[in-house]
Amino acid sequence: MPSHDFRAPRLFVDVPLAQDARVPLDRDQSNYLGNVLRLAAGAEVLAFNGRDGEWQAAIEGRKRPDGLVILQQTRPQDRLAELAYVFAPLKHARLDYMVQKAIEMGAATLQPVLTRFTQASRVNTERMRANVVEAAEQCGILSIATVAEPVPLDRYLSQRAADRLLIFCDEAAEVQSPIRSLEKARAAGLDQGRIGIDVLIGPEGGFAEEERALLLRQPKILRLALGPRIMRADTAAVAALALVQAVLGDWDGT
């Protein structure tokens, strides 16, 4: 990947981007650039839309920023790996944190699933999407992950593609080296370069026995223990995705 400019502000704009195009700013974007960052007309930012790569842009507007003029492309569009993060929803701030970290870890899809012991039955997917965009803006990510609507666990399992690897993080599994387990999956060709991967983290109350039995009947499943200690769900998300990306994902640069 080309070197990223970590100092320039980045802005997600959901419009086509091309050289010399003019992009209107909404009120929140105008306030952010003008009142928070104190930027005026002529200042440069980076703009992206998740489709056309990243572009250098100049702010337009007299009294306040009200648009951008697109100057030149700084990075071509990339594509997220075939990695889905599947999780039992959490409440409010902890869900915000988990969504942001999943995006930073490279998840392409966020799929909430409802289990017997799920803490939060109502999920604000618009808030999740806002967190996806914010994480992408802050971390130099070009693609915007998909946020799926929540579904019951059994429905998700019946609808998912059977050729994808399902990594089931189970607190009841025998504690073994997760790295060795993932390396065996890689040796068998079960990595992101060949198939998609779904990483599943359950609720803090754990899976019900009938849910665990249903999961263990799925094809291409890898039951994974995340060490000898019980983690909170948002901590488990970071740990699991880091392990998967390091062994089966795109962290090796290939």
PDB file of all heavy atoms in Angstrom, residues 24-59:
ATOM      1  N   PRO A  24     -20.470  18.778  -2.486  1.00  0.00           N
ATOM      2  CA  PRO A  24     -21.075  19.573  -1.408  1.00  0.00           C
ATOM      3  C   PRO A  24     -20.856  18.910  -0.051  1.00  0.00           C
ATOM      4  O   PRO A  24     -20.782  17.681   0.050  1.00  0.00           O
ATOM      5  CB  PRO A  24     -22.558  19.601  -1.787  1.00  0.00           C
ATOM      6  CG  PRO A  24     -22.762  18.343  -2.583  1.00  0.00           C
ATOM      7  CD  PRO A  24     -21.479  18.105  -3.329  1.00  0.00           C
ATOM      8  N   LEU A  25     -20.741  19.734   0.986  1.00  0.00           N
ATOM      9  CA  LEU A  25     -20.583  19.239   2.347  1.00  0.00           C
ATOM     10  C   LEU A  25     -21.901  19.383   3.096  1.00  0.00           C
ATOM     11  O   LEU A  25     -22.605  20.386   2.938  1.00  0.00           O
ATOM     12  CB  LEU A  25     -19.496  20.023   3.076  1.00  0.00           C
ATOM     13  CG  LEU A  25     -18.081  19.924   2.512  1.00  0.00           C
ATOM     14  CD1 LEU A  25     -17.145  20.868   3.276  1.00  0.00           C
ATOM     15  CD2 LEU A  25     -17.562  18.493   2.571  1.00  0.00           C
ATOM     16  N   ASP A  26     -22.233  18.392   3.932  1.00  0.00           N
ATOM     17  CA  ASP A  26     -23.413  18.558   4.771  1.00  0.00           C
ATOM     18  C   ASP A  26     -23.055  19.396   6.000  1.00  0.00           C
ATOM     19  O   ASP A  26     -21.901  19.778   6.204  1.00  0.00           O
ATOM     20  CB  ASP A  26     -24.017  17.204   5.154  1.00  0.00           C
ATOM     21  CG  ASP A  26     -23.078  16.328   5.989  1.00  0.00           C
ATOM     22  OD1 ASP A  26     -22.256  16.871   6.756  1.00  0.00           O
ATOM     23  OD2 ASP A  26     -23.183  15.091   5.886  1.00  0.00           O
ATOM     24  N   ARG A  27     -24.045  19.702   6.821  1.00  0.00           N
ATOM     25  CA  ARG A  27     -23.842  20.601   7.953  1.00  0.00           C
ATOM     26  C   ARG A  27     -22.797  20.056   8.938  1.00  0.00           C
ATOM     27  O   ARG A  27     -21.948  20.807   9.422  1.00  0.00           O
ATOM     28  CB  ARG A  27     -25.168  20.837   8.677  1.00  0.00           C
ATOM     29  CG  ARG A  27     -25.060  21.766   9.890  1.00  0.00           C
ATOM     30  CD  ARG A  27     -26.407  21.995  10.529  1.00  0.00           C
ATOM     31  NE  ARG A  27     -27.334  22.643   9.607  1.00  0.00           N
ATOM     32  CZ  ARG A  27     -28.586  22.938   9.923  1.00  0.00           C
ATOM     33  NH1 ARG A  27     -29.072  22.631  11.122  1.00  0.00           N
ATOM     34  NH2 ARG A  27     -29.379  23.533   9.037  1.00  0.00           N
ATOM     35  N   ASP A  28     -22.872  18.764   9.231  1.00  0.00           N
ATOM     36  CA  ASP A  28     -21.920  18.186  10.188  1.00  0.00           C
ATOM     37  C   ASP A  28     -20.492  18.251   9.645  1.00  0.00           C
ATOM     38  O   ASP A  28     -19.550  18.547  10.394  1.00  0.00           O
ATOM     39  CB  ASP A  28     -22.290  16.741  10.499  1.00  0.00           C
ATOM     40  CG  ASP A  28     -23.564  16.637  11.338  1.00  0.00           C
ATOM     41  OD1 ASP A  28     -23.938  17.651  11.978  1.00  0.00           O
ATOM     42  OD2 ASP A  28     -24.180  15.561  11.351  1.00  0.00           O
ATOM     43  N   GLN A  29     -20.319  17.956   8.357  1.00  0.00           N
ATOM     44  CA  GLN A  29     -18.987  18.017   7.772  1.00  0.00           C
ATOM     45  C   GLN A  29     -18.455  19.447   7.756  1.00  0.00           C
ATOM     46  O   GLN A  29     -17.281  19.695   8.052  1.00  0.00           O
ATOM     47  CB  GLN A  29     -19.019  17.437   6.355  1.00  0.00           C
ATOM     48  CG  GLN A  29     -19.281  15.941   6.312  1.00  0.00           C
ATOM     49  CD  GLN A  29     -19.543  15.429   4.910  1.00  0.00           C
ATOM     50  OE1 GLN A  29     -20.085  16.156   4.060  1.00  0.00           O
ATOM     51  NE2 GLN A  29     -19.171  14.190   4.650  1.00  0.00           N
ATOM     52  N   SER A  30     -19.326  20.402   7.418  1.00  0.00           N
ATOM     53  CA  SER A  30     -18.929  21.811   7.418  1.00  0.00           C
ATOM     54  C   SER A  30     -18.516  22.262   8.811  1.00  0.00           C
ATOM     55  O   SER A  30     -17.502  22.948   8.997  1.00  0.00           O
ATOM     56  CB  SER A  30     -20.076  22.674   6.900  1.00  0.00           C
ATOM     57  OG  SER A  30     -19.748  24.045   6.965  1.00  0.00           O
ATOM     58  N   ASN A  31     -19.298  21.860   9.819  1.00  0.00           N
ATOM     59  CA  ASN A  31     -18.972  22.221  11.200  1.00  0.00           C
ATOM     60  C   ASN A  31     -17.652  21.598  11.636  1.00  0.00           C
ATOM     61  O   ASN A  31     -16.826  22.249  12.297  1.00  0.00           O
ATOM     62  CB  ASN A  31     -20.098  21.772  12.124  1.00  0.00           C
ATOM     63  CG  ASN A  31     -19.799  22.076  13.576  1.00  0.00           C
ATOM     64  OD1 ASN A  31     -19.747  23.226  13.988  1.00  0.00           O
ATOM     65  ND2 ASN A  31     -19.589  21.037  14.361  1.00  0.00           N
ATOM     66  N   TYR A  32     -17.452  20.342  11.258  1.00  0.00           N
ATOM     67  CA  TYR A  32     -16.214  19.650  11.640  1.00  0.00           C
ATOM     68  C   TYR A  32     -14.991  20.338  11.043  1.00  0.00           C
ATOM     69  O   TYR A  32     -14.003  20.608  11.744  1.00  0.00           O
ATOM     70  CB  TYR A  32     -16.291  18.198  11.178  1.00  0.00           C
ATOM     71  CG  TYR A  32     -15.016  17.411  11.374  1.00  0.00           C
ATOM     72  CD1 TYR A  32     -14.545  17.104  12.644  1.00  0.00           C
ATOM     73  CD2 TYR A  32     -14.286  16.958  10.272  1.00  0.00           C
ATOM     74  CE1 TYR A  32     -13.375  16.378  12.819  1.00  0.00           C
ATOM     75  CE2 TYR A  32     -13.118  16.237  10.443  1.00  0.00           C
ATOM     76  CZ  TYR A  32     -12.663  15.952  11.719  1.00  0.00           C
ATOM     77  OH  TYR A  32     -11.506  15.250  11.881  1.00  0.00           O
ATOM     78  N   LEU A  33     -15.043  20.654   9.755  1.00  0.00           N
ATOM     79  CA  LEU A  33     -13.888  21.277   9.109  1.00  0.00           C
ATOM     80  C   LEU A  33     -13.688  22.716   9.574  1.00  0.00           C
ATOM     81  O   LEU A  33     -12.557  23.148   9.839  1.00  0.00           O
ATOM     82  CB  LEU A  33     -14.052  21.240   7.586  1.00  0.00           C
ATOM     83  CG  LEU A  33     -14.042  19.855   6.930  1.00  0.00           C
ATOM     84  CD1 LEU A  33     -14.265  19.978   5.439  1.00  0.00           C
ATOM     85  CD2 LEU A  33     -12.731  19.129   7.208  1.00  0.00           C
ATOM     86  N   GLY A  34     -14.793  23.473   9.676  1.00  0.00           N
ATOM     87  CA  GLY A  34     -14.662  24.890   9.976  1.00  0.00           C
ATOM     88  C   GLY A  34     -14.514  25.207  11.445  1.00  0.00           C
ATOM     89  O   GLY A  34     -13.664  26.030  11.825  1.00  0.00           O
ATOM     90  N   ASN A  35     -15.319  24.565  12.305  1.00  0.00           N
ATOM     91  CA  ASN A  35     -15.336  24.922  13.724  1.00  0.00           C
ATOM     92  C   ASN A  35     -14.470  24.025  14.596  1.00  0.00           C
ATOM     93  O   ASN A  35     -13.948  24.481  15.613  1.00  0.00           O
ATOM     94  CB  ASN A  35     -16.778  24.911  14.247  1.00  0.00           C
ATOM     95  CG  ASN A  35     -17.640  25.956  13.573  1.00  0.00           C
ATOM     96  OD1 ASN A  35     -17.162  27.012  13.183  1.00  0.00           O
ATOM     97  ND2 ASN A  35     -18.928  25.657  13.408  1.00  0.00           N
ATOM     98  N   VAL A  36     -14.356  22.754  14.231  1.00  0.00           N
ATOM     99  CA  VAL A  36     -13.526  21.843  15.031  1.00  0.00           C
ATOM    100  C   VAL A  36     -12.068  21.918  14.595  1.00  0.00           C
ATOM    101  O   VAL A  36     -11.167  22.119  15.418  1.00  0.00           O
ATOM    102  CB  VAL A  36     -14.061  20.397  14.933  1.00  0.00           C
ATOM    103  CG1 VAL A  36     -13.164  19.442  15.729  1.00  0.00           C
ATOM    104  CG2 VAL A  36     -15.494  20.327  15.447  1.00  0.00           C
ATOM    105  N   LEU A  37     -11.831  21.757  13.292  1.00  0.00           N
ATOM    106  CA  LEU A  37     -10.455  21.779  12.782  1.00  0.00           C
ATOM    107  C   LEU A  37      -9.959  23.176  12.433  1.00  0.00           C
ATOM    108  O   LEU A  37      -8.764  23.369  12.193  1.00  0.00           O
ATOM    109  CB  LEU A  37     -10.344  20.870  11.552  1.00  0.00           C
ATOM    110  CG  LEU A  37     -10.648  19.387  11.770  1.00  0.00           C
ATOM    111  CD1 LEU A  37     -10.428  18.605  10.487  1.00  0.00           C
ATOM    112  CD2 LEU A  37      -9.798  18.795  12.898  1.00  0.00           C
ATOM    113  N   ARG A  38     -10.873  24.156  12.383  1.00  0.00           N
ATOM    114  CA  ARG A  38     -10.513  25.549  12.074  1.00  0.00           C
ATOM    115  C   ARG A  38      -9.862  25.671  10.698  1.00  0.00           C
ATOM    116  O   ARG A  38      -8.897  26.410  10.508  1.00  0.00           O
ATOM    117  CB  ARG A  38      -9.563  26.116  13.145  1.00  0.00           C
ATOM    118  CG  ARG A  38     -10.113  26.082  14.548  1.00  0.00           C
ATOM    119  CD  ARG A  38     -11.242  27.079  14.721  1.00  0.00           C
ATOM    120  NE  ARG A  38     -11.731  27.111  16.103  1.00  0.00           N
ATOM    121  CZ  ARG A  38     -12.736  27.879  16.508  1.00  0.00           C
ATOM    122  NH1 ARG A  38     -13.368  28.654  15.637  1.00  0.00           N
ATOM    123  NH2 ARG A  38     -13.134  27.860  17.757  1.00  0.00           N
ATOM    124  N   LEU A  39     -10.417  24.973   9.727  1.00  0.00           N
ATOM    125  CA  LEU A  39      -9.903  25.044   8.367  1.00  0.00           C
ATOM    126  C   LEU A  39     -10.755  25.996   7.541  1.00  0.00           C
ATOM    127  O   LEU A  39     -11.974  26.067   7.714  1.00  0.00           O
ATOM    128  CB  LEU A  39      -9.895  23.655   7.726  1.00  0.00           C
ATOM    129  CG  LEU A  39      -9.006  22.598   8.400  1.00  0.00           C
ATOM    130  CD1 LEU A  39      -9.151  21.257   7.693  1.00  0.00           C
ATOM    131  CD2 LEU A  39      -7.559  23.035   8.429  1.00  0.00           C
ATOM    132  N   ALA A  40     -10.108  26.711   6.645  1.00  0.00           N
ATOM    133  CA  ALA A  40     -10.804  27.684   5.805  1.00  0.00           C
ATOM    134  C   ALA A  40     -10.638  27.319   4.341  1.00  0.00           C
ATOM    135  O   ALA A  40      -9.964  26.330   3.994  1.00  0.00           O
ATOM    136  CB  ALA A  40     -10.266  29.091   6.075  1.00  0.00           C
ATOM    137  N   ALA A  41     -11.231  28.120   3.473  1.00  0.00           N
ATOM    138  CA  ALA A  41     -11.140  27.884   2.030  1.00  0.00           C
ATOM    139  C   ALA A  41      -9.677  27.799   1.600  1.00  0.00           C
ATOM    140  O   ALA A  41      -8.838  28.589   2.030  1.00  0.00           O
ATOM    141  CB  ALA A  41     -11.855  29.001   1.279  1.00  0.00           C
ATOM    142  N   GLY A  42      -9.390  26.829   0.750  1.00  0.00           N
ATOM    143  CA  GLY A  42      -8.040  26.607   0.254  1.00  0.00           C
ATOM    144  C   GLY A  42      -7.286  25.534   1.002  1.00  0.00           C
ATOM    145  O   GLY A  42      -6.320  24.968   0.468  1.00  0.00           O
ATOM    146  N   ALA A  43      -7.673  25.236   2.244  1.00  0.00           N
ATOM    147  CA  ALA A  43      -7.025  24.160   2.990  1.00  0.00           C
ATOM    148  C   ALA A  43      -7.321  22.818   2.328  1.00  0.00           C
ATOM    149  O   ALA A  43      -8.383  22.628   1.730  1.00  0.00           O
ATOM    150  CB  ALA A  43      -7.500  24.162   4.435  1.00  0.00           C
ATOM    151  N   GLU A  44      -6.385  21.904   2.453  1.00  0.00           N
ATOM    152  CA  GLU A  44      -6.536  20.617   1.773  1.00  0.00           C
ATOM    153  C   GLU A  44      -6.854  19.500   2.752  1.00  0.00           C
ATOM    154  O   GLU A  44      -6.346  19.478   3.883  1.00  0.00           O
ATOM    155  CB  GLU A  44      -5.268  20.290   0.981  1.00  0.00           C
ATOM    156  CG  GLU A  44      -5.055  21.245  -0.196  1.00  0.00           C
ATOM    157  CD  GLU A  44      -3.868  20.872  -1.058  1.00  0.00           C
ATOM    158  OE1 GLU A  44      -3.147  19.913  -0.707  1.00  0.00           O
ATOM    159  OE2 GLU A  44      -3.675  21.534  -2.101  1.00  0.00           O
ATOM    160  N   VAL A  45      -7.710  18.592   2.312  1.00  0.00           N
ATOM    161  CA  VAL A  45      -8.082  17.402   3.068  1.00  0.00           C
ATOM    162  C   VAL A  45      -8.024  16.209   2.126  1.00  0.00           C
ATOM    163  O   VAL A  45      -7.807  16.364   0.916  1.00  0.00           O
ATOM    164  CB  VAL A  45      -9.503  17.541   3.664  1.00  0.00           C
ATOM    165  CG1 VAL A  45      -9.569  18.722   4.628  1.00  0.00           C
ATOM    166  CG2 VAL A  45     -10.552  17.683   2.558  1.00  0.00           C
ATOM    167  N   LEU A  46      -8.239  15.029   2.662  1.00  0.00           N
ATOM    168  CA  LEU A  46      -8.339  13.818   1.862  1.00  0.00           C
ATOM    169  C   LEU A  46      -9.791  13.350   1.865  1.00  0.00           C
ATOM    170  O   LEU A  46     -10.432  13.323   2.921  1.00  0.00           O
ATOM    171  CB  LEU A  46      -7.431  12.718   2.414  1.00  0.00           C
ATOM    172  CG  LEU A  46      -5.937  13.024   2.406  1.00  0.00           C
ATOM    173  CD1 LEU A  46      -5.161  11.931   3.134  1.00  0.00           C
ATOM    174  CD2 LEU A  46      -5.419  13.194   0.988  1.00  0.00           C
ATOM    175  N   ALA A  47     -10.301  12.993   0.696  1.00  0.00           N
ATOM    176  CA  ALA A  47     -11.686  12.545   0.567  1.00  0.00           C
ATOM    177  C   ALA A  47     -11.717  11.130  -0.006  1.00  0.00           C
ATOM    178  O   ALA A  47     -10.892  10.779  -0.856  1.00  0.00           O
ATOM    179  CB  ALA A  47     -12.474  13.495  -0.338  1.00  0.00           C
ATOM    180  N   PHE A  48     -12.673  10.335   0.460  1.00  0.00           N
ATOM    181  CA  PHE A  48     -12.857   8.976  -0.072  1.00  0.00           C
ATOM    182  C   PHE A  48     -14.330   8.619   0.028  1.00  0.00           C
ATOM    183  O   PHE A  48     -15.065   9.179   0.829  1.00  0.00           O
ATOM    184  CB  PHE A  48     -11.975   7.964   0.669  1.00  0.00           C
ATOM    185  CG  PHE A  48     -12.420   7.677   2.084  1.00  0.00           C
ATOM    186  CD1 PHE A  48     -13.027   6.479   2.414  1.00  0.00           C
ATOM    187  CD2 PHE A  48     -12.236   8.616   3.089  1.00  0.00           C
ATOM    188  CE1 PHE A  48     -13.438   6.207   3.708  1.00  0.00           C
ATOM    189  CE2 PHE A  48     -12.643   8.361   4.398  1.00  0.00           C
ATOM    190  CZ  PHE A  48     -13.242   7.152   4.699  1.00  0.00           C
ATOM    191  N   ASN A  49     -14.743   7.665  -0.812  1.00  0.00           N
ATOM    192  CA  ASN A  49     -16.156   7.247  -0.806  1.00  0.00           C
ATOM    193  C   ASN A  49     -16.332   5.729  -0.724  1.00  0.00           C
ATOM    194  O   ASN A  49     -17.444   5.222  -0.862  1.00  0.00           O
ATOM    195  CB  ASN A  49     -16.885   7.779  -2.040  1.00  0.00           C
ATOM    196  CG  ASN A  49     -16.289   7.267  -3.353  1.00  0.00           C
ATOM    197  OD1 ASN A  49     -15.395   6.418  -3.359  1.00  0.00           O
ATOM    198  ND2 ASN A  49     -16.784   7.783  -4.472  1.00  0.00           N
ATOM    199  N   GLY A  50     -15.232   5.008  -0.540  1.00  0.00           N
ATOM    200  CA  GLY A  50     -15.307   3.554  -0.468  1.00  0.00           C
ATOM    201  C   GLY A  50     -15.353   2.871  -1.816  1.00  0.00           C
ATOM    202  O   GLY A  50     -15.419   1.640  -1.884  1.00  0.00           O
ATOM    203  N   ARG A  51     -15.297   3.663  -2.923  1.00  0.00           N
ATOM    204  CA  ARG A  51     -15.416   3.084  -4.265  1.00  0.00           C
ATOM    205  C   ARG A  51     -14.325   3.573  -5.217  1.00  0.00           C
ATOM    206  O   ARG A  51     -13.880   2.818  -6.069  1.00  0.00           O
ATOM    207  CB  ARG A  51     -16.786   3.435  -4.869  1.00  0.00           C
ATOM    208  CG  ARG A  51     -17.969   3.022  -4.040  1.00  0.00           C
ATOM    209  CD  ARG A  51     -19.281   3.350  -4.738  1.00  0.00           C
ATOM    210  NE  ARG A  51     -19.485   4.775  -4.946  1.00  0.00           N
ATOM    211  CZ  ARG A  51     -20.014   5.598  -4.058  1.00  0.00           C
ATOM    212  NH1 ARG A  51     -20.372   5.155  -2.874  1.00  0.00           N
ATOM    213  NH2 ARG A  51     -20.192   6.890  -4.350  1.00  0.00           N
ATOM    214  N   ASP A  52     -13.954   4.844  -5.100  1.00  0.00           N
ATOM    215  CA  ASP A  52     -13.087   5.482  -6.095  1.00  0.00           C
ATOM    216  C   ASP A  52     -11.701   5.813  -5.573  1.00  0.00           C
ATOM    217  O   ASP A  52     -10.998   6.639  -6.156  1.00  0.00           O
ATOM    218  CB  ASP A  52     -13.748   6.777  -6.604  1.00  0.00           C
ATOM    219  CG  ASP A  52     -15.098   6.513  -7.244  1.00  0.00           C
ATOM    220  OD1 ASP A  52     -15.222   5.498  -7.951  1.00  0.00           O
ATOM    221  OD2 ASP A  52     -16.023   7.318  -7.030  1.00  0.00           O
ATOM    222  N   GLY A  53     -11.277   5.202  -4.479  1.00  0.00           N
ATOM    223  CA  GLY A  53      -9.971   5.502  -3.921  1.00  0.00           C
ATOM    224  C   GLY A  53      -9.989   6.761  -3.075  1.00  0.00           C
ATOM    225  O   GLY A  53     -11.041   7.288  -2.712  1.00  0.00           O
ATOM    226  N   GLU A  54      -8.793   7.247  -2.768  1.00  0.00           N
ATOM    227  CA  GLU A  54      -8.640   8.433  -1.927  1.00  0.00           C
ATOM    228  C   GLU A  54      -8.125   9.594  -2.780  1.00  0.00           C
ATOM    229  O   GLU A  54      -7.268   9.406  -3.647  1.00  0.00           O
ATOM    230  CB  GLU A  54      -7.652   8.135  -0.800  1.00  0.00           C
ATOM    231  CG  GLU A  54      -7.403   9.289   0.156  1.00  0.00           C
ATOM    232  CD  GLU A  54      -6.343   8.920   1.165  1.00  0.00           C
ATOM    233  OE1 GLU A  54      -5.142   8.922   0.797  1.00  0.00           O
ATOM    234  OE2 GLU A  54      -6.704   8.615   2.314  1.00  0.00           O
ATOM    235  N   TRP A  55      -8.650  10.792  -2.508  1.00  0.00           N
ATOM    236  CA  TRP A  55      -8.331  11.953  -3.330  1.00  0.00           C
ATOM    237  C   TRP A  55      -7.946  13.144  -2.459  1.00  0.00           C
ATOM    238  O   TRP A  55      -8.543  13.366  -1.405  1.00  0.00           O
ATOM    239  CB  TRP A  55      -9.541  12.341  -4.183  1.00  0.00           C
ATOM    240  CG  TRP A  55      -9.887  11.307  -5.214  1.00  0.00           C
ATOM    241  CD1 TRP A  55     -10.519  10.110  -5.001  1.00  0.00           C
ATOM    242  CD2 TRP A  55      -9.601  11.359  -6.615  1.00  0.00           C
ATOM    243  NE1 TRP A  55     -10.662   9.415  -6.175  1.00  0.00           N
ATOM    244  CE2 TRP A  55     -10.105  10.167  -7.187  1.00  0.00           C
ATOM    245  CE3 TRP A  55      -8.993  12.296  -7.437  1.00  0.00           C
ATOM    246  CZ2 TRP A  55     -10.003   9.884  -8.544  1.00  0.00           C
ATOM    247  CZ3 TRP A  55      -8.892  12.034  -8.790  1.00  0.00           C
ATOM    248  CH2 TRP A  55      -9.386  10.842  -9.335  1.00  0.00           C
ATOM    249  N   GLN A  56      -6.979  13.901  -2.948  1.00  0.00           N
ATOM    250  CA  GLN A  56      -6.665  15.193  -2.347  1.00  0.00           C
ATOM    251  C   GLN A  56      -7.728  16.191  -2.790  1.00  0.00           C
ATOM    252  O   GLN A  56      -8.125  16.220  -3.959  1.00  0.00           O
ATOM    253  CB  GLN A  56      -5.283  15.649  -2.805  1.00  0.00           C
ATOM    254  CG  GLN A  56      -4.754  16.884  -2.108  1.00  0.00           C
ATOM    255  CD  GLN A  56      -3.369  17.244  -2.607  1.00  0.00           C
ATOM    256  OE1 GLN A  56      -3.060  17.042  -3.787  1.00  0.00           O
ATOM    257  NE2 GLN A  56      -2.533  17.748  -1.723  1.00  0.00           N
ATOM    258  N   ALA A  57      -8.206  16.984  -1.844  1.00  0.00           N
ATOM    259  CA  ALA A  57      -9.282  17.925  -2.147  1.00  0.00           C
ATOM    260  C   ALA A  57      -9.026  19.240  -1.424  1.00  0.00           C
ATOM    261  O   ALA A  57      -8.406  19.275  -0.357  1.00  0.00           O
ATOM    262  CB  ALA A  57     -10.632  17.351  -1.726  1.00  0.00           C
ATOM    263  N   ALA A  58      -9.516  20.328  -1.996  1.00  0.00           N
ATOM    264  CA  ALA A  58      -9.397  21.652  -1.396  1.00  0.00           C
ATOM    265  C   ALA A  58     -10.770  22.133  -0.954  1.00  0.00           C
ATOM    266  O   ALA A  58     -11.774  21.928  -1.646  1.00  0.00           O
ATOM    267  CB  ALA A  58      -8.785  22.635  -2.388  1.00  0.00           C
ATOM    268  N   ILE A  59     -10.805  22.787   0.207  1.00  0.00           N
ATOM    269  CA  ILE A  59     -12.056  23.305   0.751  1.00  0.00           C
ATOM    270  C   ILE A  59     -12.484  24.559  -0.016  1.00  0.00           C
ATOM    271  O   ILE A  59     -11.664  25.420  -0.336  1.00  0.00           O
ATOM    272  CB  ILE A  59     -11.886  23.629   2.244  1.00  0.00           C
ATOM    273  CG1 ILE A  59     -11.608  22.332   3.032  1.00  0.00           C
ATOM    274  CG2 ILE A  59     -13.118  24.332   2.796  1.00  0.00           C
ATOM    275  CD1 ILE A  59     -11.286  22.572   4.490  1.00  0.00           C
TER     276      ILE A  59
END
